[in-house]
């Protein structure tokens, strides 16, 4: 369990307002480790852009010294796609909440996966709307009691991994904020993957949905991953255990390649190319 965040060259100096013991600390530290690992793999932090939605998860934007954009509730994935299309030379990662993206923004997730947009989506999955004091989220367990369901939720939760797989995601993984080293490795691999990457991060909310004990008991490394598609679906649907690792990975042309054909709209034409354009405009 992580209680605090280390101050280093990836810290912004902003006051961290997450609860002591919040799973978000583990995700922040794993992300910092991943940024350094990516730099070692030829991805400088200057090319990295992060996008966040609205929720406790989104504060990672305030605490990580990386360029980015604070988006709207449920719209981080759409914003990330726009940034990548405008400049395919950037490496784009969207940090989203489970309510943020399985509720308000689920259509953006489905279509980004369907298109194989070359972005990474990291979902902080705590099973509640924590910023607004613990209401039931789309991933809340049946029976969850909160302000909006005082007698217990009568609905079954959505399965984020199954949704990502069935929507066409080409990299699907699950991590746990309590295992930072393994999570950092997953985040690094997800960003390096060419295509749509989805990482569901199990993240306890110590105030409204403290799942540390359950995750310590139920999580275990995924055996044999990445798996064939049908086997990945089977593993994702397991209830008795919560496997951690890369469930599925596939190679497929990205949305940006199909739409732009290798062109970068943000690239500045050379001096000769600009002169040639002017010449053609003048002579018709």
């Amino acid at each position: 369990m992580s209680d605090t965040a280390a101050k280093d060259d990836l810290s912004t100096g902003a006051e961290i307002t997450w609860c002591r013991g919040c799973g978000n600390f583990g995700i922040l530290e794993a992300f910092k480790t991943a940024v350094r690992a990516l730099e070692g793999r030829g991805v400088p932090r200057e090319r990295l852009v992060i996008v966040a939605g609205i929720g406790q998860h989104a504060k990672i934007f305030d605490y990580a010294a990386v360029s980015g954009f604070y988006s709207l509730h449920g719209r981080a994935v759409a914003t990330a796609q726009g940034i990548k299309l405008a400049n395919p030379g950037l490496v784009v990662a969207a940090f989203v909440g489970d309510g943020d993206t399985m509720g308000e923004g689920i259509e953006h997730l489905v279509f980004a996966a369907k298109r194989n947009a070359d972005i990474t989506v990291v979902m902080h999955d705590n099973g509640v709307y924590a910023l607004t004091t613990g209401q039931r989220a789309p991933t809340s367990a049946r029976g969850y009691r909160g302000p909006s369901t005082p007698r217990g939720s009568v609905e079954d939760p959505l399965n984020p991994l199954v949704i990502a797989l069935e929507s066409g995601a080409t990299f699907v993984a699950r991590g746990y904020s309590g295992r930072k080293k393994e999570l950092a490795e997953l985040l690094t691999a997800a960003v390096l993957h060419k295509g749509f990457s989805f990482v569901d991060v199990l993240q306890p909310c110590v105030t409204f949905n403290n799942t540390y004990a359950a995750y310590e008991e139920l999580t275990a490394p995924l055996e044999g991953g990445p798996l064939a598609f049908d086997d990945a679906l089977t593993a994702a649907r397991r209830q008795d255990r919560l496997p951690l690792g890369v469930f599925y990975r596939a190679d497929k042309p990205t949305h940006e390649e199909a739409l732009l054909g290798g062109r970068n709209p943000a690239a500045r034409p050379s001096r000769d190319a600009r002169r040639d354009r002017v010449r053609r405009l003048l002579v018709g």
Side-chain angles (χ1 to χ4, degrees):
M1 178 189 309
S2 298
D3 291 323
T4 59
K7 293 182 179 178
D8 49 36
D9 61 319
L10 281 168
S11 301
T12 63
E15 180 186 1
I16 295 181
T17 58
W18 288 326
C19 300
R20 188 174 178 83
C22 175
N24 279 317
F25 284 105
I27 300 176
L28 175 60
E29 290 304 306
F31 174 60
K32 289 181 177 180
T33 302
V35 170
R36 297 187 179 96
L38 288 166
E39 288 179 316
R41 301 287 296 273
V43 182
R45 67 182 70 177
E46 291 78 14
R47 282 180 55 210
L48 184 61
V49 177
I50 64 172
V51 184
I54 297 295
Q56 290 289 355
H57 76 274
K59 296 177 182 177
I60 197 169
F61 179 86
D62 298 319
Y63 307 146
V66 177
S67 297
F69 190 88
Y70 227 133
S71 185
L72 301 174
H73 200 196
R75 312 305 172 203
V77 176
T79 306
Q81 288 180 83
I83 292 172
K84 186 68 179 180
L85 275 174
N87 187 350
L90 296 175
V91 178
V92 186
F95 289 85
V96 300
D98 52 319
D100 181 61
T101 290
M102 289 289 111
E104 288 82 357
I106 191 169
E107 72 277 18
H108 299 305
L109 180 79
V110 168
F111 279 91
K114 171 179 173 291
R115 296 170 179 139
N116 197 31
D118 189 15
I119 62 175
T120 298
V121 175
V122 181
M123 192 175 83
H124 299 222
D125 187 354
N126 61 8
V128 293
Y129 284 98
L131 186 67
T132 51
T133 68
Q135 292 85 357
R136 177 193 61 190
T139 55
S140 297
R142 175 181 279 268
Y144 171 77
R145 293 176 182 270
S148 61
T149 53
R151 298 182 180 178
S153 173
V154 297
E155 301 177 14
D156 290 324
L158 292 178
N159 186 319
L161 295 179
V162 171
I163 290 173
L165 285 164
E166 292 284 13
S167 298
T170 51
F171 182 103
V172 178
R174 179 195 278 144
Y176 169 38
S177 63
R179 300 189 183 188
K180 291 185 290 184
K181 177 178 178 295
E182 293 83 355
L183 179 58
E185 292 170 352
L186 282 181
L187 297 181
T188 303
V191 172
L192 290 174
H193 173 72
K194 187 179 177 183
F196 185 79
S197 300
F198 178 76
V199 183
D200 178 23
V201 184
L202 304 176
Q203 177 238 311
C205 170
V206 291
T207 301
F208 301 112
N209 193 26
N210 193 339
T211 47
Y212 273 115
Y215 289 158
E216 291 296 327
E217 178 184 352
L218 294 175
T219 57
L222 174 69
E223 295 183 2
L227 307 171
F229 183 79
D230 288 342
D231 293 335
L233 275 176
T234 299
R237 290 186 172 118
R238 286 189 66 171
Q239 300 290 319
D240 59 324
R241 303 295 292 173
L242 296 172
L244 304 176
V246 181
F247 285 63
Y248 180 71
R249 179 162 49 199
D251 294 324
K252 181 181 173 184
T254 69
H255 185 226
E256 294 75 22
E257 290 174 332
L259 200 62
L260 299 174
R263 184 173 64 89
N264 186 341
R268 181 176 172 81
S270 67
R271 185 182 182 89
D272 288 343
R274 296 199 303 275
R275 281 181 175 174
D276 187 56
R277 286 185 185 178
V278 172
R279 187 180 301 113
R280 281 188 278 117
L281 283 172
L282 293 175
V283 299

